[in-house]
Amino acid sequence: MSEILTARALLAKLVSFPTVSRDSNLELVDWVAEYLDGHGIATARDYDDTGKKASLYAHVGPEETGGVVLSGHTDVVPVDGQAWETDPFWVTEKDGKLFGRGTCDMKGFDALAIWAAVEAKRRGVTRPLQLALSRDEEIGCVGAPPMIERMKGQLPKASLAIIGEPTSMGIINGHKGGTGFDLHFKGFEIHSSLQDRGVSAIMEAARLIQWCNEQNEQSAAEADPDSPFDPPFSTLHVGMIEGGTAHNITAKDCMFVLSLRCLPTEDVGEWRKKVLAEIARIEAGMKAIRPEAEIHVDPRWDVPGLKEEVDGEAEAMVRRLTGLNSAGVVSFGTEAGQFQSAGYSAIVCGPGNIAQAHQPNEFIEIAQLEQGEAFMEKLLSELA
């Protein structure tokens, strides 16, 4: 049997793998699989189309339904251009904090989940525990859905999932969903003095961006003041844009990503239809000037919101484990909505503060990691 590592040692090992979303995560997945295998836990994988990334999942305990899933993601955001004071891929302790990329989001929880799986195997449990470590969460939660489908087909179906995004060990029972599009406006170049005979990709893209502004204003005006969400309405956003050749040429190209954060009480699909209808309207105007002008639309992600469950099993369990009597909501998305859509009761609860996620000098407080360990100990006792 392999050496049993502490949650902190596991965290240090996980952080040492630079699993930035643009790169492979297979070294981390290979190591986790080997570590779990050394403790008698078989693992399975779901690969992406390139074969260079994989999600990993495992089952511990009796081969029966009704278990608990501990869900985390293995990828992290880049450190490029950030002013780090320490090596981002080495855990450094200072002032009661553990610094390193992913310590908070969310390898701290991953480490706790791996530790709990090994302890569940070693101690024995009468209710199953499943581990789910996804790929590509940071680029739109695209790795979880195929992993969940494989889990449902290959493992006894669990009844609830705890998604360990950083909530300072608070309970989150609702979050926004969203969708995103890669957009490429293709215009027709001509000297800007004759711009009425050409099509400026940038200026046509501006029509869609202005429409987004108007939709946001309308949504804000119609928002429910009693909504627990901040902001209490769905939002459309463009964060980056590029295109054009020169100041006196109508732009041939304009590219940007359009994203939507949608209240869980609203239909992401209906919002998608509205966006695509506006894109089609703008494209028709472009083609009326130059038939070869067009807009290429490439869907990027589709993340359902997490809806508060009436008498939800996951929330009831996490309330028992944390001792908390209240829950909240957040405006960022997680894989919890995807587990919920797949038929699991789902809740979000994990160590670390979301304010540290994606930041230079990202850290998790040691006290938070210890609080997560206490949570896992109580979970193991309940499963036993």
Side-chain angles (χ1 to χ4, degrees):
M1 179 178 290
S2 301
E3 176 188 5
I4 297 177
L5 299 179
T6 63
R8 182 164 169 174
L10 287 165
L11 173 59
K13 188 65 180 180
L14 296 179
V15 170
S16 72
F17 296 105
T19 52
V20 176
S21 294
R22 65 180 176 231
D23 302 321
S24 173
N25 71 339
L26 290 185
E27 286 189 6
L28 181 150
V29 169
D30 289 344
W31 184 86
V32 173
E34 182 179 357
Y35 178 73
L36 292 176
D37 182 68
H39 293 284
I41 301 174
T43 60
R45 305 184 189 192
D46 175 67
Y47 287 90
D48 72 349
D49 293 338
T50 70
K52 296 179 180 179
K53 298 180 184 180
S55 302
L56 177 144
Y57 51 95
H59 178 100
V60 180
E63 292 292 319
E64 60 186 45
T65 60
V68 175
V69 179
L70 297 178
S71 168
H73 61 81
T74 62
D75 58 325
V76 297
V77 296
V79 299
D80 308 47
Q82 294 187 335
W84 281 76
E85 298 174 5
T86 62
D87 182 344
F89 298 109
W90 185 267
V91 172
T92 302
E93 179 180 347
K94 182 180 179 181
D95 299 328
K97 303 170 183 175
L98 301 174
F99 292 84
R101 173 55 87 221
T103 49
C104 172
D105 185 20
M106 58 180 300
K107 291 180 177 179
F109 182 83
D110 292 348
L112 291 167
I114 294 168
W115 176 85
V118 170
E119 287 300 301
K121 179 69 175 181
R122 187 177 70 84
R123 303 179 192 182
V125 287
T126 59
R127 183 178 181 182
L129 180 66
Q130 294 180 356
L131 178 68
L133 302 178
S134 69
R135 57 174 172 83
D136 288 333
E137 190 271 351
E138 295 290 4
I139 60 174
C141 297
V142 299
M147 175 190 68
I148 294 169
E149 285 306 305
R150 284 186 177 272
M151 290 175 65
K152 290 172 64 177
Q154 298 176 10
L155 304 179
K157 186 177 179 299
S159 60
L160 67 93
I162 301 170
I163 290 75
E165 291 282 358
T167 66
S168 299
M169 295 306 298
I171 302 173
I172 298 299
N173 62 10
H175 65 64
K176 290 184 178 181
T179 190
F181 307 92
D182 268 331
L183 298 176
H184 184 179
F185 282 66
K186 302 185 75 173
F188 184 84
E189 288 182 311
I190 197 168
H191 195 282
S192 60
S193 65
L194 303 171
Q195 70 178 55
D196 61 312
R197 304 172 200 177
V199 176
S200 169
I202 289 176
M203 296 184 73
E204 295 299 327
R207 297 183 193 275
L208 181 62
I209 295 172
Q210 179 56 25
W211 178 83
C212 292
N213 286 329
E214 293 168 356
Q215 293 298 309
N216 288 340
E217 291 169 2
Q218 180 178 339
S219 295
E222 298 173 352
D224 179 359
D226 295 324
S227 171
F229 286 91
D230 182 17
F233 53 90
S234 299
T235 55
L236 293 158
H237 179 254
V238 176
M240 297 176 65
I241 189 169
E242 59 179 317
T245 303
H247 74 91
N248 57 355
I249 303 175
T250 56
K252 180 182 178 182
D253 300 289
C254 183
M255 292 79 70
F256 59 91
V257 177
L258 172 61
S259 61
L260 163 73
R261 293 186 184 274
C262 181
L263 292 171
T265 53
E266 296 184 5
D267 189 340
V268 173
E270 289 302 313
W271 268 104
R272 189 186 306 107
K273 290 178 183 177
K274 286 176 63 174
V275 172
L276 293 176
E278 181 62 16
I279 290 172
R281 188 191 69 81
I282 294 171
E283 184 182 54
M286 294 166 62
K287 286 185 174 294
I289 301 171
R290 297 294 310 195
E292 56 267 68
E294 59 186 350
I295 305 173
H296 285 178
V297 182
D298 184 16
R300 280 281 296 272
W301 65 84
D302 188 1
V303 182
L306 175 65
K307 299 177 182 179
E308 182 179 356
E309 301 170 1
V310 178
D311 298 324
E313 183 184 4
E315 181 173 344
M317 170 177 275
V318 172
R319 282 177 181 264
R320 291 195 301 273
L321 299 179
T322 61
L324 298 175
N325 293 317
S326 62
V329 300
V330 292
S331 290
F332 60 84
T334 80
E335 296 170 337
Q338 294 169 324
F339 274 95
Q340 187 179 66
S341 295
Y344 297 80
S345 177
I347 201 76
V348 184
C349 181
N353 190 321
I354 191 64
Q356 297 305 319
H358 304 182
Q359 297 297 306
N361 302 311
E362 177 183 350
F363 68 82
I364 187 171
E365 293 181 350
I366 294 174
Q368 278 286 299
L369 194 65
E370 291 173 344
Q371 194 173 342
E373 289 184 85
F375 176 94
M376 292 300 177
E377 283 285 3
K378 292 179 181 179
L379 173 62
L380 291 168
S381 295
E382 181 153 329
L383 297 180

